[in-house]
Amino acid sequence: MSGALTTTIDHLHELRIGLLKSESWLNKDGGVERGFQDKYNQIIEKIQSFKFPFRHDPLKYFPVEVWSPIIEESAAAYGSHGRETYYVDVGRLFELSSVSTHWRRMLMSAPELWSHLLINDREDVMKRINLVTRLTGDHTPLHLHLVLPLNTWIKVSSTIQVQQGRIRSITVWNLQSYKDNLDPIASAARSFSSLPSLERVSWANGGLAPCRAKKSAIIHEFVRKAKNIRYLPRAFAEEQTLRLPNISQLRQVNLFNSPLQLFPFLLNLNQLEDVNIKGFKDQSKELAYFCEEDEADIPTTKPGQLRWKRLDYSCSPYYF
């Protein structure tokens, strides 16, 4: 490091120490004055830029369409099914926003990054809800994540219901740990009067088969309040759900048992692309027979005639 650069850094350190020694940085409430905080951060950033020069800041050289997905991936937390179930951690976003003033300004101005709303039993849940709703404005779609045991729902429900018009997806987490008590999720589902923007409902973790009826009832409650459901991955639909008029745009669905009974409903869904069926071995045999035999009274039975891009079924009666 050259002598001139060392002198510059020493001078900046003197300015930093001088600011700390001044009494003007505390406000009447004992907090830090905003003006002081900005000056102090600017000095620190200059010191860091001289010590560790980084000439190619990606947030300066690339448009938001390029760096935003990278930031999202860096802050993502995944469920047991990878990208199919994930949320963006607000805490990790805050860590990334501390890189520099420019990073903080850019991240705070990208509402889609802050659109994942995690509802759990942490003490700061209301602070995170208020932060997300403030940074995402009034029109950015929200992704709601409900984490069992969810004892806080009564406290936060009224705040969440105000945002129900822009909830795009709902994911339930930690089902394996609380498989016998889905009442909080059922209560949350009943509390919404309407979910006009909802397109996706899913479970982030698997569960045991005895919970299937409860889970399907919760799915039905969410779906019937939506306008156009498109995706039901890891969320098993029963016949009553497949009869709803607002699933005409459904593209992805999971089923459990009785595929023959539900196939007539599926064949009427013109947008359906991905079908996943879990069930016992004999049901899987029935499904194979249904797809391979030429039944004159049932249309579109040959696999080649199906519009779906993927048809997957397994025989495990335990987990789904």
Side-chain angles (χ1 to χ4, degrees):
M1 190 178 294
S2 66
L5 185 56
T6 302
T7 302
T8 301
I9 293 176
D10 289 342
H11 175 66
L12 288 171
H13 275 300
E14 290 176 2
L15 290 177
R16 180 182 65 84
I17 294 171
L19 276 176
L20 291 174
K21 288 182 177 179
S22 68
E23 298 180 359
S24 58
W25 62 283
L26 288 175
N27 58 30
K28 295 180 180 179
D29 299 324
V32 179
E33 287 285 356
R34 180 64 188 218
F36 169 85
Q37 185 176 351
D38 292 339
K39 290 180 181 178
Y40 187 86
N41 288 340
Q42 289 173 7
I43 293 174
I44 293 296
E45 287 178 14
K46 286 182 179 179
I47 293 174
Q48 295 299 323
S49 66
F50 282 120
K51 283 186 174 181
F52 311 103
F54 182 59
R55 301 179 183 276
H56 303 290
D57 185 341
L59 271 62
K60 290 182 178 180
Y61 287 87
F62 294 106
V64 64
E65 293 82 7
V66 174
W67 60 257
S68 181
I70 299 174
I71 295 294
E72 180 178 296
E73 183 71 23
S74 301
Y78 294 97
S80 56
H81 305 296
R83 294 266 329 161
E84 198 169 88
T85 49
Y86 79 100
Y87 68 90
V88 179
D89 190 341
V90 172
R92 295 182 187 179
L93 285 179
F94 265 117
E95 291 177 1
L96 292 171
S97 67
S98 66
V99 170
S100 67
T101 301
H102 180 252
W103 274 51
R104 182 170 64 251
R105 184 171 62 252
M106 296 300 290
L107 264 62
M108 294 293 184
S109 63
E112 293 80 9
L113 285 176
W114 306 87
S115 62
H116 289 254
L117 190 53
L118 189 68
I119 310 299
N120 55 19
D121 285 351
R122 286 179 46 172
E123 294 182 358
D124 62 345
V125 63
M126 278 304 302
K127 291 182 179 179
R128 285 185 285 115
I129 292 174
N130 292 332
L131 174 70
V132 168
T133 54
R134 180 171 61 85
L135 291 178
T136 55
D138 298 324
H139 305 292
T140 303
L142 295 177
H143 305 283
L144 184 63
H145 302 269
L146 304 175
V147 182
L148 287 166
L150 204 64
N151 296 317
T152 57
W153 181 253
I154 296 177
K155 181 175 68 174
V156 305
S157 61
S158 59
T159 304
I160 301 300
Q161 288 164 23
V162 173
Q163 309 296 333
Q164 65 182 10
R166 57 189 183 115
I167 295 177
R168 178 69 55 84
S169 68
I170 296 176
T171 305
V172 182
W173 293 75
N174 288 5
L175 280 185
Q176 287 180 327
S177 300
Y178 296 92
K179 60 182 183 297
D180 296 326
N181 184 17
L182 302 182
D183 293 341
I185 302 299
S187 176
R190 291 192 298 268
S191 67
F192 293 106
S193 59
S194 175
L195 293 164
S197 300
L198 184 64
E199 295 184 355
R200 181 188 184 101
V201 182
S202 61
W203 309 102
N205 304 94
L208 292 176
C211 297
R212 180 178 59 85
K214 292 181 180 179
K215 292 168 67 175
S216 297
I218 293 172
I219 289 295
H220 181 76
E221 187 68 22
F222 280 128
V223 172
R224 75 180 187 86
K225 295 177 179 179
K227 186 176 181 180
N228 279 309
I229 284 287
R230 295 174 181 262
Y231 304 96
L232 293 174
R234 308 295 169 185
F236 285 78
E238 299 283 7
E239 181 176 339
Q240 62 171 347
T241 303
L242 295 178
R243 286 181 176 272
L244 292 172
N246 59 349
I247 67 163
S248 61
Q249 303 298 312
L250 192 66
R251 297 183 179 181
Q252 182 181 19
V253 68
N254 281 15
L255 305 174
F256 186 84
N257 279 342
S258 305
L260 291 178
Q261 176 186 351
L262 298 177
F263 254 52
F265 298 101
L266 302 181
L267 294 175
N268 289 326
L269 299 174
N270 295 327
Q271 302 296 320
L272 193 60
E273 298 179 348
D274 191 331
V275 179
N276 189 349
I277 298 177
K278 295 281 194 275
F280 299 103
K281 189 173 183 180
D282 56 346
Q283 264 84 25
S284 296
K285 287 182 177 179
E286 287 180 5
L287 175 59
Y289 174 83
F290 182 86
C291 289
E292 292 171 3
E293 293 297 317
D294 187 9
E295 297 286 346
D297 57 337
I298 303 178
T300 324
T301 56
K302 291 287 187 179
Q305 294 175 309
L306 292 172
R307 291 179 296 268
W308 310 331
K309 294 181 179 179
R310 191 178 77 92
L311 172 61
D312 182 32
Y313 60 91
S314 62
C315 306
S316 171
Y318 302 109
Y319 289 93
F320 51 81

